[in-house]
């Protein structure tokens, strides 16, 4: 170490920068943040210390801002979660000390919540009104159908008595008119019964009573029941049953109603053709089902109608309705009864080639 002539250490140059250029650069950057950056020229260490105090204050303010904005963002996030859960009554608080962008987001989210809340309340009210109207309609249909069916049964009964008297009196020619009266009355009674069945299903008043059913016996009975009308239409009804286990636990009356609707439609829309009733087992996803199919060679169903053919009051088209008659309720009733039995009903069809309806029910 060198000394001056008096033997003392020489005074240090305060303005001299540290010898390490990296430290000098860091001091300059820190000192630039000081309120008086020019002080770095005379005392860089003091200037750096002042700058560090400023940095500490800025960091403290930044930490407080971050904590505040984190709470605000959490409120925004929780509100979005509430809206996703269909709870539209939650609102985000808007404070003067909030970040402007966050306040803008909060206001926008609150406005969306108000709109969603009003919309949801309107939808709920509309749904309740629709359900009430549906219940009223079903009650009306059930009541009016019952009131119409009672006198119709009386008309059919008296017509049978009159026919018997005419036959006993040897006036066979007059029985033709009575036969027409009976046919028309029974047709009208069937239409009213369809409306009544649909009303009961929609009102939830249809009971299902499962019991062991021998499908061999049930399908043969259906073939016997349908044979006269099938023969009258010039059709042929074949049956193929391949069931190692013919016992099915289901409601026999509802299953008969489903299959009679499908067979009736097949016979109605087929002329001088063939109808095939078949049944077999089907394994799907480890569960055993029974498939009952009705295939015909009738007019078929257009592709665009396959999705709506099971809707109430739907026919293949207006021409078919006028030509073949009916209310278009049979398939709608069949699908809903299949649902009640825990099964499904589906259709494949080709226009002018025929249709195949499949009823699938769980075997176990």
């Amino acid at each position: 170490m060198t000394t001056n002539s008096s033997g003392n250490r020489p005074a240090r140059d305060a303005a001299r920068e540290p010898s390490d250029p990296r430290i000098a650069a860091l001091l300059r950057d820190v000192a630039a943040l000081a309120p008086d950056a020019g002080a770095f020229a005379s005392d860089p260490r003091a200037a750096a210390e002042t700058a560090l105090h400023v940095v500490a204050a800025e960091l403290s303010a930044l930490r407080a801002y971050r904590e505040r904005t984190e709470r605000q963002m959490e409120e925004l996030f929780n509100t979005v979660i509430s809206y996703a859960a269909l709870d539209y009554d939650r609102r985000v608080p808007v404070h003067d000390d909030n970040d402007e962008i966050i306040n803008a987001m909060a206001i926008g989210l609150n406005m969306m919540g108000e709109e969603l809340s009003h919309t949801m309340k309107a939808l709920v009210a509309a749904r309740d009104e629709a359900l009430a109207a549906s219940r009223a309609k079903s009650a009306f249909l059930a009541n009016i159908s019952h009131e119409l069916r009672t006198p119709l049964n009386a008309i059919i009964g008296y017509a049978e008595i009159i026919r018997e008297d005419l036959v006993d009196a040897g006036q066979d020619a007059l029985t033709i008119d009575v036969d027409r009266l009976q046919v028309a009355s029974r047709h009208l009674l069937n239409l009213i019964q369809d409306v009544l069945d649909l009303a009961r299903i929609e009102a939830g008043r249809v009971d299902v009573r499962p019991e062991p059913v021998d499908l061999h016996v049930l399908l043969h009975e259906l073939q016997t029941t349908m044979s006269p009308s099938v023969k009258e239409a010039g059709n042929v009804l074949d049956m193929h049953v391949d069931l190692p286990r013919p016992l099915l636990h289901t409601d026999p009356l509802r299953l008969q109603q489903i299959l009679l609707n499908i067979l009736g439609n097949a016979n109605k829309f087929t002329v001088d053709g063939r109808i095939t009733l078949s049944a077999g087992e089907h394994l799907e996803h480890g569960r055993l089902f029974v498939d009952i199919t009705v295939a015909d060679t009738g007019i078929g169903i257009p592709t665009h109608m396959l999705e709506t053919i099971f809707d109430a009051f739907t026919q293949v088209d207006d021409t078919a309705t006028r030509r073949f008659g009916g209310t278009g309720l049979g398939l709608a009733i069949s699908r809903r009864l299949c649902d009640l039995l825990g099964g499904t009903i589906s259709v494949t069809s080709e226009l002018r080639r025929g249709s195949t309806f499949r009823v699938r029910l769980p075997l176990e």
Side-chain angles (χ1 to χ4, degrees):
M1 180 181 296
T2 59
T3 59
N4 56 15
S5 57
S6 62
N8 296 326
R9 186 178 300 174
R12 182 180 182 189
D13 185 2
R16 190 180 61 183
E17 295 185 3
S19 59
D20 191 328
R22 294 173 299 176
I23 297 177
L26 179 60
L27 286 174
R28 283 196 300 269
D29 291 339
V30 173
L33 298 175
D36 184 7
F40 178 74
S42 60
D43 191 350
R45 294 185 182 278
E49 183 178 354
T50 303
L52 288 174
H53 285 297
V54 173
V55 170
E58 292 292 335
L59 288 175
S60 178
L62 183 60
R63 184 182 296 110
Y65 173 79
R66 186 192 66 184
E67 293 175 354
R68 185 170 66 253
T69 53
E70 283 180 351
R71 290 194 300 270
Q72 295 164 1
M73 291 301 296
E74 184 178 2
E75 291 174 348
L76 289 172
F77 178 76
N78 290 336
T79 302
V80 172
I81 294 297
S82 297
Y83 290 174
L86 306 182
D87 178 13
Y88 304 124
D89 295 327
R90 187 185 181 100
R91 297 292 178 266
V92 184
V94 178
H95 303 295
D96 293 337
D97 59 344
N98 282 4
D99 182 81
E100 292 183 0
I101 296 178
I102 293 179
N103 270 347
M105 294 173 61
I107 293 172
L109 199 58
N110 289 341
M111 292 175 62
M112 183 175 68
E114 290 286 346
E115 187 66 27
L116 289 173
S117 179
H118 291 315
T119 302
M120 180 58 68
K121 290 177 182 178
L123 288 174
V124 170
R127 181 204 62 187
D128 293 342
E129 291 177 2
L131 290 175
S134 178
R135 287 191 294 267
K137 178 203 69 175
S138 298
F140 170 77
L141 290 176
N143 291 333
I144 195 66
S145 298
H146 177 74
E147 294 299 327
L148 290 173
R149 190 175 57 172
T150 300
L152 264 178
N153 283 324
I155 292 173
I156 293 173
Y158 279 114
E160 292 176 352
I161 295 174
I162 293 173
R163 189 182 190 284
E164 292 175 359
D165 291 342
L166 290 174
V167 171
D168 293 339
Q171 300 181 6
D172 294 340
L174 295 177
T175 60
I176 297 177
D177 293 330
V178 178
D179 288 341
R180 291 173 179 170
L181 174 63
Q182 286 183 308
V183 170
S185 298
R186 288 195 175 94
H187 179 65
L188 182 57
L189 183 62
N190 288 334
L191 297 181
I192 293 173
Q193 186 62 45
D194 284 344
V195 174
L196 183 59
D197 287 341
L198 182 64
R200 285 175 174 171
I201 293 173
E202 289 184 343
R205 292 162 54 187
V206 174
D207 295 328
V208 175
R209 296 182 175 88
E211 62 182 69
V213 178
D214 190 326
L215 281 181
H216 282 293
V217 175
L218 186 144
L219 295 179
H220 278 289
E221 289 177 351
L222 287 175
Q223 186 181 32
T224 302
T225 301
M226 290 296 301
S227 290
S229 59
V230 169
K231 184 178 180 180
E232 184 180 353
N235 296 319
V236 176
L237 176 59
D238 297 326
M239 189 173 71
H240 304 286
V241 179
D242 182 15
L243 290 173
R245 290 169 286 187
L247 283 182
L248 178 68
H249 195 70
T250 189
D251 188 323
L253 294 179
R254 299 305 176 191
L255 181 56
Q256 282 182 346
Q257 186 176 359
I258 293 169
L259 297 178
L260 282 174
N261 278 335
I262 299 174
L263 286 168
N265 278 345
N267 189 53
K268 180 167 64 173
F269 294 106
T270 304
V271 179
D272 297 329
R274 184 173 296 274
I275 302 170
T276 304
L277 174 64
S278 59
E281 292 184 355
H282 174 78
L283 184 64
E284 183 177 358
H285 302 305
R287 292 189 63 190
L288 199 58
F289 296 86
V290 59
D291 283 354
I292 305 174
T293 61
V294 176
D296 63 62
T297 58
I299 64 174
I301 304 170
T303 303
H304 70 277
M305 291 291 297
L306 292 177
E307 294 297 326
T308 60
I309 196 67
F310 294 101
D311 294 342
F313 305 106
T314 298
Q315 284 263 20
V316 174
D317 57 28
D318 293 338
T319 303
T321 303
R322 290 193 297 269
R323 178 182 173 188
F324 297 99
T327 59
L329 290 177
L331 291 179
I333 293 171
S334 296
R335 164 163 282 185
R336 301 189 188 193
L337 289 177
C338 274
D339 292 340
L340 290 175
L341 296 180
T344 60
I345 181 172
S346 59
V347 59
T348 57
S349 184
E350 186 177 349
L351 203 59
R352 293 182 294 276
R353 296 293 297 272
S355 305
T356 300
F357 285 84
R358 183 195 68 197
V359 174
R360 176 168 293 173
L361 298 172
L363 191 56
E364 299 176 350

